[in-house]
Amino acid sequence: MGSPNDDAAATETDLTTDSIGDTRRDSGSDTESNNDCDEGDLPLLLLPPPPGQFEEGERVLANHSDCFYEAKVLKIEYKDDEWKYFVHYIGWNKSWDEWISLDCLLKHTDENIEKQKEQGLKQGIKTATAWKVTKMKPRSPNVARGRKRKQDSVDTEKNVVPSDNLLSFHIPPALRKQLIDDYEFVTQMHKLVQLPRSPNVDDILKKYIDSQMKKHGRVTDSVEEILKGLRCYFDKALPVMLLYNNERKQYEETVTADVSPSTVYGAEHLLRLFVKLPELLIHVNMAEETLKELQDNLADILRFLRKNQSLFFVSAYKAVEEIEKNED
């Protein structure tokens, strides 16, 4: 929502999602206290009173990695010496429900929504609509996009995907764990992937083409176009929304004007892109048949990454000091 999208990616969205969503993050289900005495078992009279600003069942704005998402408070409990709120991100798979603290919540008001937009906090308020494919039919460059024309397209373009259809694809559990580990290495352990990566993104996409040739004896034009688009999206999205804050210095030192990120970064960051793709493709008009073909191909590429996970992904991240020492 990817991802409610980490000390995180440039949109600082926790990229450990389920479609890319599933990309979005760890569910937070293992945040229980390690103390012998579980705070949840203490008599309520011994606990400080809850702040009272938010109630169970209330619709709120929840901050995840510097990005706000529409959410609903499901539970309120005293955990880890403070009151915590178990929230469900509206429109997202319940696997991304998580416990968050009071300072991550805002009242769901027009004023707060507008305030976040004005402050330019990452990309403002994220909702599940970011995963929806527009139902407007293809138009020529000279045709203005307007409400009336959009409504006309709903009535006349039967082949266009309805707005309640989501671009979605299943990220295999092993790759979801990869996303979570990636998040923890970079944002919590402050380690990085050493660059340049080998294989890099370009190499991986070429290997995918080779696998298609071996399997089918050819590569269709649509697959080639999808791979070309994937590479383009990666190069454009990486500096904007695929980096965690503590990766930015490394990016600035490694990627110059004449260098494409796809020749420097590898599977770790390519997987993050899959979390963000539905959001990136929100403005792309496509017929239902085209959408299904795109989803099928993206799912196949994810299976390819999973099959070659041990070859494509690094086995260990390195401390910044170690990387700098190797570069000297």
Side-chain angles (χ1 to χ4, degrees), residues 174-296:
L175 293 183
R176 292 182 62 182
K177 184 179 185 304
Q178 185 81 45
L179 282 165
I180 294 170
D181 290 345
D182 175 60
Y183 168 76
E184 292 179 347
F185 273 124
V186 178
T187 66
Q188 298 179 23
M189 300 172 67
H190 304 289
K191 294 186 176 183
L192 302 176
V193 173
Q194 184 158 4
L195 302 176
R197 285 285 288 110
S198 180
N200 58 38
V201 171
D202 281 359
D203 295 332
I204 292 172
L205 298 183
K206 289 175 184 176
K207 289 178 183 294
Y208 179 75
I209 290 179
D210 291 342
S211 73
Q212 292 295 295
M213 287 293 294
K214 183 177 181 180
K215 184 176 181 180
H216 304 292
R218 68 188 185 94
V219 178
T220 64
D221 291 342
S222 60
V223 169
E224 289 185 346
E225 285 300 313
I226 288 172
L227 294 177
K228 186 185 301 182
L230 199 61
R231 181 186 188 275
C232 180
Y233 270 97
F234 181 83
D235 286 340
K236 297 293 185 182
L238 183 112
V240 178
M241 59 176 61
L242 301 184
L243 295 175
Y244 295 98
N245 278 342
N246 47 335
E247 292 178 307
R248 295 211 155 274
K249 180 181 177 182
Q250 183 189 39
Y251 168 81
E252 293 167 359
E253 294 174 345
T254 308
V255 180
T256 56
D258 58 344
V259 173
S260 298
S262 57
T263 65
V264 176
Y265 289 83
E268 300 77 24
H269 292 77
L270 177 60
L271 185 57
R272 296 183 194 178
L273 175 65
F274 278 84
V275 177
K276 307 297 292 182
L277 272 178
E279 175 184 330
L280 290 171
L281 294 173
I282 181 175
H283 297 301
V284 177
N285 304 299
M286 63 184 76
E288 186 171 3
E289 182 179 349
T290 304
L291 174 65
K292 185 179 186 308
E293 182 178 14
L294 175 60
Q295 290 183 155
D296 290 345

Side-chain angles (χ1 to χ4, degrees), residues 65-133:
S65 302
D66 292 342
C67 201
F68 278 90
Y69 295 82
E70 294 183 330
K72 181 179 180 180
V73 177
L74 300 182
K75 301 178 187 177
I76 303 175
E77 290 186 10
Y78 192 73
K79 302 169 66 70
D80 303 325
D81 298 322
E82 64 175 322
W83 285 96
K84 294 287 186 71
Y85 300 79
F86 190 66
V87 299
H88 167 68
Y89 294 92
I90 296 173
W92 298 91
N93 189 294
K94 65 180 181 180
S95 63
W96 303 121
D97 295 357
E98 66 175 351
W99 289 101
I100 60 177
S101 57
L102 176 64
D103 57 6
C104 290
L105 291 176
L106 287 178
K107 288 288 186 179
H108 190 285
T109 64
D110 292 340
E111 181 182 0
N112 281 336
I113 292 175
E114 197 59 37
K115 184 183 299 183
Q116 296 308 318
K117 290 180 179 179
E118 290 175 357
Q119 291 177 352
L121 184 56
K122 305 313 176 188
Q123 292 187 348
I125 307 299
K126 299 279 191 178
T127 69
T129 56
W131 294 73
K132 297 182 179 180
V133 178

Side-chain angles (χ1 to χ4, degrees), residues 119-159:
Q119 291 177 352
L121 184 56
K122 305 313 176 188
Q123 292 187 348
I125 307 299
K126 299 279 191 178
T127 69
T129 56
W131 294 73
K132 297 182 179 180
V133 178
T134 176
K135 55 189 174 184
M136 210 174 123
K137 66 180 180 180
R139 58 189 178 88
S140 67
N142 296 325
V143 176
R145 179 179 298 194
R147 291 185 178 179
K148 185 175 186 304
R149 184 165 184 82
K150 182 175 181 179
Q151 184 59 49
D152 290 345
S153 70
V154 176
D155 299 331
T156 61
E157 192 67 20
K158 296 181 180 180
N159 198 33

